[in-house]
Amino acid sequence: MELKELQKLVGAKIRELRLKKGCTQIQLTVKIIELGGKMDATNISRMESGRTNITLYQLHRISEALEIPMKDFLDFELPKE
């Protein structure tokens, strides 16, 4: 699996879970900042579309803001090669 493919899978999962919480990208950004993190909505957009490689720390911040365990962001099936 290529890095870009993995980024897209993780990004799609972030988007799915964010939407399930009824949270916009802007609202998520505000929550992350309120928790002491640094993030902007453009970063969230790039992560969700798979255009950037998310760090574990960024995933941790998103996890905290959405009150979702980090493991849930990696709960997806890898495509068969």
Side-chain angles (χ1 to χ4, degrees):
M1 170 171 288
E2 296 291 320
L3 175 61
K4 286 289 183 191
E5 294 171 289
L6 188 56
Q7 287 173 191
K8 286 181 181 181
L9 289 171
V10 173
K13 193 62 160 183
I14 292 169
R15 182 176 193 275
E16 174 191 327
L17 294 171
R18 175 182 57 77
L19 292 174
K20 279 186 181 176
K21 287 286 189 166
C23 189
T24 67
Q25 290 177 346
I26 298 291
Q27 290 168 327
L28 176 56
T29 301
V30 169
K31 286 182 182 183
I32 290 169
I33 291 169
E34 287 173 348
L35 291 169
K38 294 182 182 178
M39 186 75 65
D40 63 52
T42 306
N43 282 350
I44 301 291
S45 175
R46 284 193 301 262
M47 288 175 201
E48 289 185 355
S49 66
R51 291 179 290 160
T52 190
N53 192 13
I54 186 169
T55 68
L56 287 174
Y57 190 69
Q58 289 170 322
L59 190 61
H60 168 69
R61 285 298 193 178
I62 293 169
S63 170
E64 282 185 321
L66 293 176
E67 299 176 347
I68 296 172
M70 281 182 62
K71 67 180 180 69
D72 289 5
F73 293 98
L74 302 176
D75 186 17
F76 54 82
E77 294 291 321
L78 295 175
K80 299 200 188 310
E81 293 186 24

